[in-house]
Amino acid sequence: MLELEDAITTLLANTTETAEETCPISRSNKRIASVAVAAPMAIPPFNRSPLDGYAFMATDSVGATAENPKQLRVVTTIYAGDAYEGTIRSGEAAKIMTGAPIPAGCDCVIRQEDTNYKNDVVEIYEELTAFKNFCYAGEDINTGSTIITKNEKLNAIKVGVLASVGIAKVAVYKRVRVALLCTGSELADVGEPLAAGKIYNSNRYMIEARLKDLGAEVTVLENIVDDEEAVAAALVAVADSVDIIVTTGGVSVGERDIMPAAFEKMGATQLFWKVKIQPGTPVLAAKLRNVLLIGLSGNPFASLVNFELLVRPVIAHAAHDPSLNTTTATAIMANTFPKKTTKRRFVRAIYADGRVCLPDNHSGGSLYTMSVCNGLVEIAEGTKSLVAGDRVNVILL
Ligand code: AMP
Ligand code: MG
């Protein structure tokens, strides 16, 4: 049986990182830039006014006071979007709106509220220094400067920055394509009536949602009964169009645990089967050409633990996005966990402000108590019990 770290190393060594593609910026949020981006233009593209007022030459306001105002002749009005070609001369001013280009011959702007205007003349009651209320061309972004670095994760603001310099498409890494198959003859899909002895397939929706949280492009395969031929055929059919295949169920050693045989039937090479963790010990991994196959436990909580510990690092690596990995924290136990731990164990927990609390129900089959948790406390093999005040490691999900 493999140690968790060795299983992760094996998986990462068999993970293919996604190639590049160009994508319209409107679909680039949360994607990873595959190439640095240089600004093709300056922002602002021209000297512009930050407010509504009057533009003129600061030297024309020398000596201006409330008692001794300076008068300037207003020769034009410039709105945002205008391109005024003329030059403002000494003794003149231009009425100017926020965002409009400051015309030639002006080096400052005074707020409209600080002036009086009558009959094409504006009165100024204070001295302005040169470049007062003056936004320089390029003061935000210089032409040629790097606005996106390689491997940077885009966000709404970065998308806005790209748009501000007129970039319509950006080079990013492709999303990771994942096929998901949940097997089990006992499973019914939501919306179907539940026959006696059957349960609803929760993994299919939970794992699909987690994969999408991580930015993957998910293909969900039809529910399949425990039949290795059928499973192998369904997986082979999708293998060429995905990077990773994730399955749940059928990896234990029961009679209907058909996943190892199904992977073999597909012609996949087994990488490992069983990892020294609890829950989710029987997790299975294999490789078929460039496709990585990971068979998670069927038990909903165990499948989640398998997913967070083993699938998540694979997606992060394939997607060139380390931020998708879990983070860990040390925390103080707020309550007691009285059980002896015979195998390295991951227990659901609620973490806040350096403290963790374990809920009463740890049953592998209970997904509901996990829904109020946000982490997994790691308990080392051989630990007799944990008591309040103990220091533990928490994986934050
Ligand atoms: P298995 O790993 O197939 O032996 O399944 C272990 C336990 O998890 C059994 O109680 C299954 O009924 C349950 N189980 C398996 N797959 C799912 C699923 N997709 N959704 C909900 N429960 C499941
Ligand atoms: Mg099963």
Side-chain angles (χ1 to χ4, degrees), residues 260-298:
F263 282 5
E264 203 184 315
K265 271 223 159 70
M266 293 172 70
T269 309
Q270 193 176 105
L271 299 172
F272 58 78
W273 183 21
K274 297 186 178 108
V275 176
K276 279 193 211 167
I277 53 170
Q278 190 193 2
T281 312
V283 59
L284 169 72
K287 183 107 189 230
L288 178 70
R289 296 186 291 276
N290 268 331
V291 185
L292 186 57
L293 296 91
I294 311 178
L296 313 182
S297 282

PDB file of all heavy atoms in Angstrom, residues 260-298:
ATOM      1  N   PRO A 260     -11.121  -2.157 -10.912  1.00  0.00           N
ATOM      2  CA  PRO A 260      -9.773  -2.556 -11.360  1.00  0.00           C
ATOM      3  C   PRO A 260      -9.825  -3.389 -12.641  1.00  0.00           C
ATOM      4  O   PRO A 260      -9.041  -3.158 -13.567  1.00  0.00           O
ATOM      5  CB  PRO A 260      -9.233  -3.380 -10.167  1.00  0.00           C
ATOM      6  CG  PRO A 260      -9.987  -2.852  -8.982  1.00  0.00           C
ATOM      7  CD  PRO A 260     -11.366  -2.532  -9.499  1.00  0.00           C
ATOM      8  N   ALA A 261     -10.806  -4.298 -12.700  1.00  0.00           N
ATOM      9  CA  ALA A 261     -10.915  -5.131 -13.903  1.00  0.00           C
ATOM     10  C   ALA A 261     -11.367  -4.303 -15.102  1.00  0.00           C
ATOM     11  O   ALA A 261     -10.908  -4.525 -16.232  1.00  0.00           O
ATOM     12  CB  ALA A 261     -11.903  -6.271 -13.642  1.00  0.00           C
ATOM     13  N   ALA A 262     -12.243  -3.335 -14.851  1.00  0.00           N
ATOM     14  CA  ALA A 262     -12.722  -2.497 -15.958  1.00  0.00           C
ATOM     15  C   ALA A 262     -11.585  -1.666 -16.550  1.00  0.00           C
ATOM     16  O   ALA A 262     -11.443  -1.572 -17.767  1.00  0.00           O
ATOM     17  CB  ALA A 262     -13.853  -1.580 -15.472  1.00  0.00           C
ATOM     18  N   PHE A 263     -10.749  -1.101 -15.679  1.00  0.00           N
ATOM     19  CA  PHE A 263      -9.600  -0.312 -16.176  1.00  0.00           C
ATOM     20  C   PHE A 263      -8.669  -1.220 -16.992  1.00  0.00           C
ATOM     21  O   PHE A 263      -8.147  -0.819 -18.029  1.00  0.00           O
ATOM     22  CB  PHE A 263      -8.812   0.317 -15.010  1.00  0.00           C
ATOM     23  CG  PHE A 263      -9.458   1.548 -14.400  1.00  0.00           C
ATOM     24  CD1 PHE A 263     -10.718   1.981 -14.805  1.00  0.00           C
ATOM     25  CD2 PHE A 263      -8.789   2.280 -13.416  1.00  0.00           C
ATOM     26  CE1 PHE A 263     -11.307   3.115 -14.244  1.00  0.00           C
ATOM     27  CE2 PHE A 263      -9.359   3.418 -12.851  1.00  0.00           C
ATOM     28  CZ  PHE A 263     -10.621   3.842 -13.258  1.00  0.00           C
ATOM     29  N   GLU A 264      -8.490  -2.428 -16.501  1.00  0.00           N
ATOM     30  CA  GLU A 264      -7.600  -3.365 -17.199  1.00  0.00           C
ATOM     31  C   GLU A 264      -8.176  -3.724 -18.573  1.00  0.00           C
ATOM     32  O   GLU A 264      -7.452  -3.745 -19.571  1.00  0.00           O
ATOM     33  CB  GLU A 264      -7.437  -4.630 -16.339  1.00  0.00           C
ATOM     34  CG  GLU A 264      -6.170  -5.397 -16.653  1.00  0.00           C
ATOM     35  CD  GLU A 264      -6.082  -6.690 -15.857  1.00  0.00           C
ATOM     36  OE1 GLU A 264      -6.361  -6.664 -14.640  1.00  0.00           O
ATOM     37  OE2 GLU A 264      -5.759  -7.720 -16.482  1.00  0.00           O
ATOM     38  N   LYS A 265      -9.468  -3.946 -18.603  1.00  0.00           N
ATOM     39  CA  LYS A 265     -10.143  -4.263 -19.885  1.00  0.00           C
ATOM     40  C   LYS A 265      -9.978  -3.156 -20.917  1.00  0.00           C
ATOM     41  O   LYS A 265      -9.931  -3.405 -22.115  1.00  0.00           O
ATOM     42  CB  LYS A 265     -11.655  -4.458 -19.648  1.00  0.00           C
ATOM     43  CG  LYS A 265     -12.009  -5.881 -19.323  1.00  0.00           C
ATOM     44  CD  LYS A 265     -13.250  -6.371 -20.031  1.00  0.00           C
ATOM     45  CE  LYS A 265     -13.224  -7.888 -20.071  1.00  0.00           C
ATOM     46  NZ  LYS A 265     -13.441  -8.483 -18.734  1.00  0.00           N
ATOM     47  N   MET A 266      -9.903  -1.925 -20.428  1.00  0.00           N
ATOM     48  CA  MET A 266      -9.715  -0.792 -21.346  1.00  0.00           C
ATOM     49  C   MET A 266      -8.317  -0.771 -21.932  1.00  0.00           C
ATOM     50  O   MET A 266      -8.028  -0.019 -22.844  1.00  0.00           O
ATOM     51  CB  MET A 266      -9.869   0.538 -20.588  1.00  0.00           C
ATOM     52  CG  MET A 266     -11.218   0.837 -20.066  1.00  0.00           C
ATOM     53  SD  MET A 266     -11.094   2.325 -19.017  1.00  0.00           S
ATOM     54  CE  MET A 266     -10.791   3.607 -20.244  1.00  0.00           C
ATOM     55  N   GLY A 267      -7.421  -1.556 -21.302  1.00  0.00           N
ATOM     56  CA  GLY A 267      -6.028  -1.524 -21.727  1.00  0.00           C
ATOM     57  C   GLY A 267      -5.201  -0.529 -20.941  1.00  0.00           C
ATOM     58  O   GLY A 267      -4.073  -0.214 -21.308  1.00  0.00           O
ATOM     59  N   ALA A 268      -5.757  -0.012 -19.833  1.00  0.00           N
ATOM     60  CA  ALA A 268      -5.023   0.961 -19.012  1.00  0.00           C
ATOM     61  C   ALA A 268      -3.996   0.245 -18.140  1.00  0.00           C
ATOM     62  O   ALA A 268      -4.172  -0.914 -17.769  1.00  0.00           O
ATOM     63  CB  ALA A 268      -5.998   1.745 -18.140  1.00  0.00           C
ATOM     64  N   THR A 269      -2.926   0.955 -17.830  1.00  0.00           N
ATOM     65  CA  THR A 269      -1.881   0.410 -16.963  1.00  0.00           C
ATOM     66  C   THR A 269      -2.132   0.898 -15.543  1.00  0.00           C
ATOM     67  O   THR A 269      -2.236   2.106 -15.311  1.00  0.00           O
ATOM     68  CB  THR A 269      -0.499   0.938 -17.406  1.00  0.00           C
ATOM     69  OG1 THR A 269      -0.384   0.700 -18.805  1.00  0.00           O
ATOM     70  CG2 THR A 269       0.640   0.256 -16.667  1.00  0.00           C
ATOM     71  N   GLN A 270      -2.212  -0.023 -14.606  1.00  0.00           N
ATOM     72  CA  GLN A 270      -2.481   0.381 -13.226  1.00  0.00           C
ATOM     73  C   GLN A 270      -1.278   1.093 -12.620  1.00  0.00           C
ATOM     74  O   GLN A 270      -0.140   0.658 -12.777  1.00  0.00           O
ATOM     75  CB  GLN A 270      -2.830  -0.847 -12.387  1.00  0.00           C
ATOM     76  CG  GLN A 270      -3.422  -0.448 -11.048  1.00  0.00           C
ATOM     77  CD  GLN A 270      -3.875  -1.647 -10.224  1.00  0.00           C
ATOM     78  OE1 GLN A 270      -3.229  -2.030  -9.267  1.00  0.00           O
ATOM     79  NE2 GLN A 270      -4.998  -2.229 -10.606  1.00  0.00           N
ATOM     80  N   LEU A 271      -1.536   2.236 -11.968  1.00  0.00           N
ATOM     81  CA  LEU A 271      -0.465   2.976 -11.289  1.00  0.00           C
ATOM     82  C   LEU A 271      -0.430   2.608  -9.807  1.00  0.00           C
ATOM     83  O   LEU A 271       0.633   2.431  -9.230  1.00  0.00           O
ATOM     84  CB  LEU A 271      -0.677   4.484 -11.435  1.00  0.00           C
ATOM     85  CG  LEU A 271      -0.683   5.026 -12.873  1.00  0.00           C
ATOM     86  CD1 LEU A 271      -1.095   6.493 -12.894  1.00  0.00           C
ATOM     87  CD2 LEU A 271       0.700   4.858 -13.508  1.00  0.00           C
ATOM     88  N   PHE A 272      -1.588   2.536  -9.197  1.00  0.00           N
ATOM     89  CA  PHE A 272      -1.680   2.013  -7.826  1.00  0.00           C
ATOM     90  C   PHE A 272      -3.120   1.661  -7.518  1.00  0.00           C
ATOM     91  O   PHE A 272      -4.056   2.092  -8.202  1.00  0.00           O
ATOM     92  CB  PHE A 272      -1.120   3.003  -6.782  1.00  0.00           C
ATOM     93  CG  PHE A 272      -1.784   4.355  -6.755  1.00  0.00           C
ATOM     94  CD1 PHE A 272      -3.023   4.540  -6.140  1.00  0.00           C
ATOM     95  CD2 PHE A 272      -1.158   5.470  -7.312  1.00  0.00           C
ATOM     96  CE1 PHE A 272      -3.632   5.787  -6.101  1.00  0.00           C
ATOM     97  CE2 PHE A 272      -1.761   6.731  -7.275  1.00  0.00           C
ATOM     98  CZ  PHE A 272      -3.010   6.880  -6.675  1.00  0.00           C
ATOM     99  N   TRP A 273      -3.276   0.829  -6.510  1.00  0.00           N
ATOM    100  CA  TRP A 273      -4.600   0.504  -5.979  1.00  0.00           C
ATOM    101  C   TRP A 273      -4.432   0.397  -4.476  1.00  0.00           C
ATOM    102  O   TRP A 273      -3.649  -0.433  -4.028  1.00  0.00           O
ATOM    103  CB  TRP A 273      -5.104  -0.823  -6.585  1.00  0.00           C
ATOM    104  CG  TRP A 273      -6.503  -1.200  -6.151  1.00  0.00           C
ATOM    105  CD1 TRP A 273      -7.458  -0.381  -5.663  1.00  0.00           C
ATOM    106  CD2 TRP A 273      -7.072  -2.509  -6.198  1.00  0.00           C
ATOM    107  NE1 TRP A 273      -8.601  -1.072  -5.400  1.00  0.00           N
ATOM    108  CE2 TRP A 273      -8.397  -2.400  -5.712  1.00  0.00           C
ATOM    109  CE3 TRP A 273      -6.616  -3.774  -6.605  1.00  0.00           C
ATOM    110  CZ2 TRP A 273      -9.259  -3.489  -5.621  1.00  0.00           C
ATOM    111  CZ3 TRP A 273      -7.470  -4.850  -6.514  1.00  0.00           C
ATOM    112  CH2 TRP A 273      -8.790  -4.708  -6.026  1.00  0.00           C
ATOM    113  N   LYS A 274      -5.048   1.246  -3.734  1.00  0.00           N
ATOM    114  CA  LYS A 274      -5.011   1.320  -2.270  1.00  0.00           C
ATOM    115  C   LYS A 274      -3.884   2.244  -1.785  1.00  0.00           C
ATOM    116  O   LYS A 274      -2.728   2.114  -2.175  1.00  0.00           O
ATOM    117  CB  LYS A 274      -4.840  -0.053  -1.621  1.00  0.00           C
ATOM    118  CG  LYS A 274      -6.016  -0.965  -1.914  1.00  0.00           C
ATOM    119  CD  LYS A 274      -5.910  -2.280  -1.157  1.00  0.00           C
ATOM    120  CE  LYS A 274      -7.138  -3.113  -1.456  1.00  0.00           C
ATOM    121  NZ  LYS A 274      -6.914  -4.258  -2.305  1.00  0.00           N
ATOM    122  N   VAL A 275      -4.306   3.173  -0.971  1.00  0.00           N
ATOM    123  CA  VAL A 275      -3.393   4.148  -0.374  1.00  0.00           C
ATOM    124  C   VAL A 275      -3.634   4.122   1.136  1.00  0.00           C
ATOM    125  O   VAL A 275      -4.761   3.894   1.589  1.00  0.00           O
ATOM    126  CB  VAL A 275      -3.664   5.566  -0.957  1.00  0.00           C
ATOM    127  CG1 VAL A 275      -2.801   6.617  -0.280  1.00  0.00           C
ATOM    128  CG2 VAL A 275      -3.399   5.574  -2.463  1.00  0.00           C
ATOM    129  N   LYS A 276      -2.554   4.343   1.915  1.00  0.00           N
ATOM    130  CA  LYS A 276      -2.657   4.258   3.383  1.00  0.00           C
ATOM    131  C   LYS A 276      -3.364   5.462   3.972  1.00  0.00           C
ATOM    132  O   LYS A 276      -2.760   6.292   4.662  1.00  0.00           O
ATOM    133  CB  LYS A 276      -1.238   4.193   3.978  1.00  0.00           C
ATOM    134  CG  LYS A 276      -0.612   2.834   3.948  1.00  0.00           C
ATOM    135  CD  LYS A 276       0.614   2.856   4.848  1.00  0.00           C
ATOM    136  CE  LYS A 276       1.670   1.912   4.341  1.00  0.00           C
ATOM    137  NZ  LYS A 276       2.961   2.133   5.008  1.00  0.00           N
ATOM    138  N   ILE A 277      -4.657   5.581   3.655  1.00  0.00           N
ATOM    139  CA  ILE A 277      -5.471   6.651   4.241  1.00  0.00           C
ATOM    140  C   ILE A 277      -6.829   6.069   4.592  1.00  0.00           C
ATOM    141  O   ILE A 277      -7.258   5.062   4.023  1.00  0.00           O
ATOM    142  CB  ILE A 277      -5.683   7.834   3.267  1.00  0.00           C
ATOM    143  CG1 ILE A 277      -6.233   7.341   1.908  1.00  0.00           C
ATOM    144  CG2 ILE A 277      -4.414   8.636   3.088  1.00  0.00           C
ATOM    145  CD1 ILE A 277      -6.699   8.452   0.985  1.00  0.00           C
ATOM    146  N   GLN A 278      -7.462   6.723   5.550  1.00  0.00           N
ATOM    147  CA  GLN A 278      -8.813   6.340   5.900  1.00  0.00           C
ATOM    148  C   GLN A 278      -9.625   7.606   6.119  1.00  0.00           C
ATOM    149  O   GLN A 278      -9.145   8.493   6.827  1.00  0.00           O
ATOM    150  CB  GLN A 278      -8.789   5.516   7.198  1.00  0.00           C
ATOM    151  CG  GLN A 278     -10.117   4.887   7.493  1.00  0.00           C
ATOM    152  CD  GLN A 278     -10.186   4.352   8.930  1.00  0.00           C
ATOM    153  OE1 GLN A 278      -9.247   4.488   9.716  1.00  0.00           O
ATOM    154  NE2 GLN A 278     -11.295   3.760   9.251  1.00  0.00           N
ATOM    155  N   PRO A 279     -10.784   7.770   5.463  1.00  0.00           N
ATOM    156  CA  PRO A 279     -11.414   6.813   4.554  1.00  0.00           C
ATOM    157  C   PRO A 279     -10.798   6.883   3.151  1.00  0.00           C
ATOM    158  O   PRO A 279      -9.887   7.660   2.930  1.00  0.00           O
ATOM    159  CB  PRO A 279     -12.855   7.314   4.515  1.00  0.00           C
ATOM    160  CG  PRO A 279     -12.715   8.803   4.635  1.00  0.00           C
ATOM    161  CD  PRO A 279     -11.569   9.013   5.583  1.00  0.00           C
ATOM    162  N   GLY A 280     -11.329   6.051   2.269  1.00  0.00           N
ATOM    163  CA  GLY A 280     -10.899   6.104   0.872  1.00  0.00           C
ATOM    164  C   GLY A 280      -9.683   5.263   0.561  1.00  0.00           C
ATOM    165  O   GLY A 280      -9.004   5.501  -0.441  1.00  0.00           O
ATOM    166  N   THR A 281      -9.395   4.273   1.413  1.00  0.00           N
ATOM    167  CA  THR A 281      -8.222   3.421   1.189  1.00  0.00           C
ATOM    168  C   THR A 281      -8.164   2.820  -0.221  1.00  0.00           C
ATOM    169  O   THR A 281      -7.109   2.863  -0.860  1.00  0.00           O
ATOM    170  CB  THR A 281      -8.194   2.255   2.212  1.00  0.00           C
ATOM    171  OG1 THR A 281      -8.410   2.789   3.507  1.00  0.00           O
ATOM    172  CG2 THR A 281      -6.872   1.498   2.150  1.00  0.00           C
ATOM    173  N   PRO A 282      -9.282   2.278  -0.735  1.00  0.00           N
ATOM    174  CA  PRO A 282      -9.135   1.507  -1.978  1.00  0.00           C
ATOM    175  C   PRO A 282      -9.033   2.333  -3.260  1.00  0.00           C
ATOM    176  O   PRO A 282      -9.267   1.814  -4.337  1.00  0.00           O
ATOM    177  CB  PRO A 282     -10.401   0.639  -1.989  1.00  0.00           C
ATOM    178  CG  PRO A 282     -11.394   1.396  -1.206  1.00  0.00           C
ATOM    179  CD  PRO A 282     -10.646   2.201  -0.196  1.00  0.00           C
ATOM    180  N   VAL A 283      -8.660   3.592  -3.160  1.00  0.00           N
ATOM    181  CA  VAL A 283      -8.584   4.430  -4.364  1.00  0.00           C
ATOM    182  C   VAL A 283      -7.618   3.820  -5.395  1.00  0.00           C
ATOM    183  O   VAL A 283      -6.586   3.244  -5.036  1.00  0.00           O
ATOM    184  CB  VAL A 283      -8.211   5.879  -3.973  1.00  0.00           C
ATOM    185  CG1 VAL A 283      -6.885   5.946  -3.259  1.00  0.00           C
ATOM    186  CG2 VAL A 283      -8.230   6.810  -5.176  1.00  0.00           C
ATOM    187  N   LEU A 284      -8.011   3.946  -6.634  1.00  0.00           N
ATOM    188  CA  LEU A 284      -7.333   3.241  -7.738  1.00  0.00           C
ATOM    189  C   LEU A 284      -6.881   4.252  -8.780  1.00  0.00           C
ATOM    190  O   LEU A 284      -7.598   5.206  -9.078  1.00  0.00           O
ATOM    191  CB  LEU A 284      -8.361   2.289  -8.354  1.00  0.00           C
ATOM    192  CG  LEU A 284      -8.066   1.585  -9.671  1.00  0.00           C
ATOM    193  CD1 LEU A 284      -7.019   0.496  -9.464  1.00  0.00           C
ATOM    194  CD2 LEU A 284      -9.357   0.966 -10.220  1.00  0.00           C
ATOM    195  N   ALA A 285      -5.687   4.039  -9.351  1.00  0.00           N
ATOM    196  CA  ALA A 285      -5.245   4.943 -10.427  1.00  0.00           C
ATOM    197  C   ALA A 285      -4.638   4.148 -11.565  1.00  0.00           C
ATOM    198  O   ALA A 285      -4.000   3.115 -11.347  1.00  0.00           O
ATOM    199  CB  ALA A 285      -4.230   5.945  -9.882  1.00  0.00           C
ATOM    200  N   ALA A 286      -4.862   4.627 -12.776  1.00  0.00           N
ATOM    201  CA  ALA A 286      -4.322   3.949 -13.956  1.00  0.00           C
ATOM    202  C   ALA A 286      -4.095   4.971 -15.046  1.00  0.00           C
ATOM    203  O   ALA A 286      -4.528   6.122 -14.945  1.00  0.00           O
ATOM    204  CB  ALA A 286      -5.299   2.873 -14.432  1.00  0.00           C
ATOM    205  N   LYS A 287      -3.398   4.546 -16.088  1.00  0.00           N
ATOM    206  CA  LYS A 287      -3.118   5.467 -17.190  1.00  0.00           C
ATOM    207  C   LYS A 287      -3.431   4.775 -18.499  1.00  0.00           C
ATOM    208  O   LYS A 287      -3.051   3.604 -18.697  1.00  0.00           O
ATOM    209  CB  LYS A 287      -1.628   5.849 -17.132  1.00  0.00           C
ATOM    210  CG  LYS A 287      -1.210   6.844 -18.177  1.00  0.00           C
ATOM    211  CD  LYS A 287      -0.971   8.196 -17.545  1.00  0.00           C
ATOM    212  CE  LYS A 287      -0.773   9.259 -18.602  1.00  0.00           C
ATOM    213  NZ  LYS A 287       0.401  10.084 -18.390  1.00  0.00           N
ATOM    214  N   LEU A 288      -4.132   5.458 -19.366  1.00  0.00           N
ATOM    215  CA  LEU A 288      -4.399   4.943 -20.703  1.00  0.00           C
ATOM    216  C   LEU A 288      -3.935   6.015 -21.685  1.00  0.00           C
ATOM    217  O   LEU A 288      -4.534   7.081 -21.755  1.00  0.00           O
ATOM    218  CB  LEU A 288      -5.889   4.660 -20.890  1.00  0.00           C
ATOM    219  CG  LEU A 288      -6.300   4.164 -22.267  1.00  0.00           C
ATOM    220  CD1 LEU A 288      -5.789   2.745 -22.519  1.00  0.00           C
ATOM    221  CD2 LEU A 288      -7.811   4.213 -22.434  1.00  0.00           C
ATOM    222  N   ARG A 289      -2.872   5.728 -22.441  1.00  0.00           N
ATOM    223  CA  ARG A 289      -2.251   6.751 -23.294  1.00  0.00           C
ATOM    224  C   ARG A 289      -2.021   8.017 -22.464  1.00  0.00           C
ATOM    225  O   ARG A 289      -1.339   7.951 -21.448  1.00  0.00           O
ATOM    226  CB  ARG A 289      -3.100   7.001 -24.544  1.00  0.00           C
ATOM    227  CG  ARG A 289      -3.182   5.758 -25.451  1.00  0.00           C
ATOM    228  CD  ARG A 289      -3.904   6.045 -26.746  1.00  0.00           C
ATOM    229  NE  ARG A 289      -5.320   6.302 -26.589  1.00  0.00           N
ATOM    230  CZ  ARG A 289      -6.255   5.341 -26.509  1.00  0.00           C
ATOM    231  NH1 ARG A 289      -5.907   4.068 -26.577  1.00  0.00           N
ATOM    232  NH2 ARG A 289      -7.533   5.655 -26.356  1.00  0.00           N
ATOM    233  N   ASN A 290      -2.625   9.167 -22.884  1.00  0.00           N
ATOM    234  CA  ASN A 290      -2.382  10.394 -22.113  1.00  0.00           C
ATOM    235  C   ASN A 290      -3.408  10.641 -21.034  1.00  0.00           C
ATOM    236  O   ASN A 290      -3.381  11.667 -20.373  1.00  0.00           O
ATOM    237  CB  ASN A 290      -2.371  11.598 -23.066  1.00  0.00           C
ATOM    238  CG  ASN A 290      -0.963  11.878 -23.534  1.00  0.00           C
ATOM    239  OD1 ASN A 290       0.003  11.595 -22.824  1.00  0.00           O
ATOM    240  ND2 ASN A 290      -0.844  12.410 -24.733  1.00  0.00           N
ATOM    241  N   VAL A 291      -4.319   9.713 -20.883  1.00  0.00           N
ATOM    242  CA  VAL A 291      -5.431   9.938 -19.958  1.00  0.00           C
ATOM    243  C   VAL A 291      -5.140   9.297 -18.603  1.00  0.00           C
ATOM    244  O   VAL A 291      -4.743   8.134 -18.524  1.00  0.00           O
ATOM    245  CB  VAL A 291      -6.742   9.362 -20.534  1.00  0.00           C
ATOM    246  CG1 VAL A 291      -7.918   9.718 -19.631  1.00  0.00           C
ATOM    247  CG2 VAL A 291      -6.971   9.884 -21.933  1.00  0.00           C
ATOM    248  N   LEU A 292      -5.335  10.087 -17.563  1.00  0.00           N
ATOM    249  CA  LEU A 292      -5.167   9.586 -16.208  1.00  0.00           C
ATOM    250  C   LEU A 292      -6.532   9.150 -15.699  1.00  0.00           C
ATOM    251  O   LEU A 292      -7.509   9.881 -15.830  1.00  0.00           O
ATOM    252  CB  LEU A 292      -4.590  10.717 -15.344  1.00  0.00           C
ATOM    253  CG  LEU A 292      -4.190  10.393 -13.920  1.00  0.00           C
ATOM    254  CD1 LEU A 292      -3.170   9.269 -13.881  1.00  0.00           C
ATOM    255  CD2 LEU A 292      -3.590  11.651 -13.271  1.00  0.00           C
ATOM    256  N   LEU A 293      -6.593   7.929 -15.139  1.00  0.00           N
ATOM    257  CA  LEU A 293      -7.862   7.428 -14.604  1.00  0.00           C
ATOM    258  C   LEU A 293      -7.743   7.330 -13.086  1.00  0.00           C
ATOM    259  O   LEU A 293      -6.773   6.762 -12.571  1.00  0.00           O
ATOM    260  CB  LEU A 293      -8.169   6.031 -15.158  1.00  0.00           C
ATOM    261  CG  LEU A 293      -8.404   5.928 -16.670  1.00  0.00           C
ATOM    262  CD1 LEU A 293      -7.111   5.653 -17.401  1.00  0.00           C
ATOM    263  CD2 LEU A 293      -9.422   4.836 -16.953  1.00  0.00           C
ATOM    264  N   ILE A 294      -8.701   7.890 -12.392  1.00  0.00           N
ATOM    265  CA  ILE A 294      -8.669   7.816 -10.928  1.00  0.00           C
ATOM    266  C   ILE A 294     -10.013   7.284 -10.459  1.00  0.00           C
ATOM    267  O   ILE A 294     -11.058   7.891 -10.700  1.00  0.00           O
ATOM    268  CB  ILE A 294      -8.383   9.194 -10.284  1.00  0.00           C
ATOM    269  CG1 ILE A 294      -7.160   9.852 -10.959  1.00  0.00           C
ATOM    270  CG2 ILE A 294      -8.132   9.036  -8.789  1.00  0.00           C
ATOM    271  CD1 ILE A 294      -6.828  11.239 -10.437  1.00  0.00           C
ATOM    272  N   GLY A 295      -9.981   6.127  -9.809  1.00  0.00           N
ATOM    273  CA  GLY A 295     -11.200   5.496  -9.306  1.00  0.00           C
ATOM    274  C   GLY A 295     -11.340   5.776  -7.821  1.00  0.00           C
ATOM    275  O   GLY A 295     -10.568   5.288  -6.998  1.00  0.00           O
ATOM    276  N   LEU A 296     -12.325   6.602  -7.475  1.00  0.00           N
ATOM    277  CA  LEU A 296     -12.524   6.982  -6.076  1.00  0.00           C
ATOM    278  C   LEU A 296     -13.448   5.979  -5.389  1.00  0.00           C
ATOM    279  O   LEU A 296     -14.227   5.285  -6.042  1.00  0.00           O
ATOM    280  CB  LEU A 296     -13.153   8.375  -5.986  1.00  0.00           C
ATOM    281  CG  LEU A 296     -12.548   9.481  -6.862  1.00  0.00           C
ATOM    282  CD1 LEU A 296     -13.268  10.807  -6.612  1.00  0.00           C
ATOM    283  CD2 LEU A 296     -11.056   9.635  -6.591  1.00  0.00           C
ATOM    284  N   SER A 297     -13.384   5.971  -4.086  1.00  0.00           N
ATOM    285  CA  SER A 297     -14.326   5.168  -3.310  1.00  0.00           C
ATOM    286  C   SER A 297     -15.745   5.609  -3.635  1.00  0.00           C
ATOM    287  O   SER A 297     -15.979   6.755  -4.015  1.00  0.00           O
ATOM    288  CB  SER A 297     -14.092   5.381  -1.815  1.00  0.00           C
ATOM    289  OG  SER A 297     -12.976   4.643  -1.400  1.00  0.00           O
ATOM    290  N   GLY A 298     -16.700   4.689  -3.424  1.00  0.00           N
ATOM    291  CA  GLY A 298     -18.090   5.028  -3.714  1.00  0.00           C
ATOM    292  C   GLY A 298     -18.750   5.769  -2.566  1.00  0.00           C
ATOM    293  O   GLY A 298     -19.554   6.690  -2.769  1.00  0.00           O
TER     294      GLY A 298
END
